[in-house]
Amino acid sequence: MAPLPNAELVQNSVQLYRYLLRCCKQLPGENIRQHYRHAVRQSFKVHADEDDPERIQQIIKRAIEDADWVMNK
C-alpha cells in the first residue's frame, strides 16, 4: 500500500495530523484503523506543547517515515 501523495508538503503539526488520519483511512480492517487513529491522537497530545521549530520538523519527518512504514507493512 503506497503512502499518500504530497507528504513533502506537510509543514506544520495540523497538516501532519490530517495527513496521518488520511493514511489511517487507507488501512485494511477497522480494528487496525482504530488502533492507529488512537496512536496518532495520543502522539499529537503528547507533543502539543513542543515549541522548538527544529524539534517539530524532526517529529514531522519521523512521523511521515513511520506512516510510510506502516502503510507498506
Side-chain angles (χ1 to χ4, degrees):
M1 192 175 300
L4 289 177
N6 300 324
E8 66 278 356
L9 298 178
V10 174
Q11 297 296 316
N12 62 47
S13 57
V14 174
Q15 291 172 341
L16 175 65
Y17 185 72
R18 292 180 66 192
Y19 172 81
L20 294 175
L21 290 180
R22 285 189 194 115
C23 285
C24 289
K25 287 182 181 181
Q26 293 185 351
L27 294 171
E30 184 59 30
N31 289 340
I32 295 169
R33 286 191 294 271
Q34 286 179 359
H35 170 77
Y36 283 107
R37 275 195 308 260
H38 178 73
V40 167
R41 289 182 181 121
Q42 289 301 106
S43 293
F44 190 81
K45 289 177 185 177
V46 167
H47 297 293
D49 61 345
E50 190 66 57
D51 58 359
D52 178 20
E54 185 176 314
R55 175 72 178 130
I56 291 170
Q57 289 305 311
Q58 289 174 345
I59 293 168
I60 289 171
K61 182 178 183 282
R62 178 63 190 259
I64 291 172
E65 289 171 357
D66 290 347
D68 289 347
W69 181 82
V70 169
M71 299 297 285
N72 291 321
K73 185 166 106 167

